[in-house]
PDB file of all heavy atoms in Angstrom:
ATOM      1  N   ILE U 355      36.545 -28.639  15.755  1.00 90.00           N
ATOM      2  CA  ILE U 355      35.555 -29.359  14.926  1.00 90.00           C
ATOM      3  C   ILE U 355      35.556 -30.855  15.233  1.00 90.00           C
ATOM      4  O   ILE U 355      34.494 -31.483  15.416  1.00 90.00           O
ATOM      5  CB  ILE U 355      35.798 -29.092  13.426  1.00 90.00           C
ATOM      6  CG1 ILE U 355      35.536 -27.609  13.123  1.00 90.00           C
ATOM      7  CG2 ILE U 355      34.888 -29.962  12.560  1.00 90.00           C
ATOM      8  CD1 ILE U 355      36.029 -27.200  11.740  1.00 90.00           C
ATOM      9  N   ALA U 356      36.790 -31.420  15.340  1.00 90.00           N
ATOM     10  CA  ALA U 356      36.877 -32.826  15.612  1.00 90.00           C
ATOM     11  C   ALA U 356      36.308 -33.142  17.004  1.00 90.00           C
ATOM     12  O   ALA U 356      35.611 -34.151  17.135  1.00 90.00           O
ATOM     13  CB  ALA U 356      38.347 -33.234  15.624  1.00 90.00           C
ATOM     14  N   ARG U 357      36.490 -32.255  17.981  1.00 90.00           N
ATOM     15  CA  ARG U 357      35.920 -32.474  19.319  1.00 90.00           C
ATOM     16  C   ARG U 357      34.388 -32.529  19.240  1.00 90.00           C
ATOM     17  O   ARG U 357      33.807 -33.386  19.866  1.00 90.00           O
ATOM     18  CB  ARG U 357      36.372 -31.348  20.218  1.00 90.00           C
ATOM     19  CG  ARG U 357      35.647 -31.333  21.585  1.00 90.00           C
ATOM     20  CD  ARG U 357      36.014 -30.107  22.368  1.00 90.00           C
ATOM     21  NE  ARG U 357      35.645 -28.847  21.725  1.00 90.00           N
ATOM     22  CZ  ARG U 357      34.376 -28.377  21.664  1.00 90.00           C
ATOM     23  NH1 ARG U 357      33.382 -29.056  22.172  1.00 90.00           N
ATOM     24  NH2 ARG U 357      34.191 -27.238  21.054  1.00 90.00           N
ATOM     25  N   ILE U 358      33.825 -31.595  18.470  1.00 90.00           N
ATOM     26  CA  ILE U 358      32.337 -31.563  18.340  1.00 90.00           C
ATOM     27  C   ILE U 358      31.832 -32.838  17.720  1.00 90.00           C
ATOM     28  O   ILE U 358      30.853 -33.444  18.155  1.00 90.00           O
ATOM     29  CB  ILE U 358      31.921 -30.285  17.526  1.00 90.00           C
ATOM     30  CG1 ILE U 358      32.301 -29.039  18.328  1.00 90.00           C
ATOM     31  CG2 ILE U 358      30.445 -30.331  17.268  1.00 90.00           C
ATOM     32  CD1 ILE U 358      32.209 -27.767  17.475  1.00 90.00           C
ATOM     33  N   LEU U 359      32.469 -33.198  16.597  1.00 88.00           N
ATOM     34  CA  LEU U 359      32.015 -34.429  15.901  1.00 88.00           C
ATOM     35  C   LEU U 359      32.128 -35.658  16.768  1.00 88.00           C
ATOM     36  O   LEU U 359      31.274 -36.543  16.750  1.00 88.00           O
ATOM     37  CB  LEU U 359      32.797 -34.603  14.586  1.00 88.00           C
ATOM     38  CG  LEU U 359      32.585 -33.544  13.557  1.00 88.00           C
ATOM     39  CD1 LEU U 359      33.524 -33.686  12.355  1.00 88.00           C
ATOM     40  CD2 LEU U 359      31.167 -33.518  13.011  1.00 88.00           C
ATOM     41  N   ASP U 360      33.245 -35.752  17.541  1.00 88.00           N
ATOM     42  CA  ASP U 360      33.429 -36.902  18.416  1.00 88.00           C
ATOM     43  C   ASP U 360      32.360 -36.953  19.466  1.00 88.00           C
ATOM     44  O   ASP U 360      31.819 -37.979  19.816  1.00 88.00           O
ATOM     45  CB  ASP U 360      34.817 -36.817  19.042  1.00 88.00           C
ATOM     46  CG  ASP U 360      35.135 -38.078  19.906  1.00 88.00           C
ATOM     47  OD1 ASP U 360      34.848 -39.209  19.403  1.00 88.00           O
ATOM     48  OD2 ASP U 360      35.660 -37.905  21.017  1.00 88.00           O
ATOM     49  N   ALA U 361      31.993 -35.765  20.015  1.00 89.00           N
ATOM     50  CA  ALA U 361      30.954 -35.678  20.998  1.00 89.00           C
ATOM     51  C   ALA U 361      29.568 -36.106  20.446  1.00 89.00           C
ATOM     52  O   ALA U 361      28.718 -36.593  21.175  1.00 89.00           O
ATOM     53  CB  ALA U 361      30.853 -34.283  21.582  1.00 89.00           C
ATOM     54  N   GLN U 362      29.390 -35.924  19.107  1.00 86.00           N
ATOM     55  CA  GLN U 362      28.157 -36.314  18.464  1.00 86.00           C
ATOM     56  C   GLN U 362      28.161 -37.793  18.110  1.00 86.00           C
ATOM     57  O   GLN U 362      27.213 -38.284  17.475  1.00 86.00           O
ATOM     58  CB  GLN U 362      27.953 -35.454  17.205  1.00 86.00           C
ATOM     59  CG  GLN U 362      27.721 -33.976  17.482  1.00 86.00           C
ATOM     60  CD  GLN U 362      27.621 -33.198  16.191  1.00 86.00           C
ATOM     61  OE1 GLN U 362      27.936 -33.678  15.083  1.00 86.00           O
ATOM     62  NE2 GLN U 362      27.184 -31.933  16.270  1.00 86.00           N
ATOM     63  N   GLY U 363      29.250 -38.489  18.432  1.00 87.00           N
ATOM     64  CA  GLY U 363      29.334 -39.883  18.133  1.00 87.00           C
ATOM     65  C   GLY U 363      29.830 -40.166  16.729  1.00 87.00           C
ATOM     66  O   GLY U 363      29.775 -41.306  16.228  1.00 87.00           O
TER      67      GLY U 363
END
Side-chain angles (χ1 to χ4, degrees):
I355 294 169
R357 171 187 59 78
I358 295 168
L359 293 174
D360 185 43
Q362 293 175 351

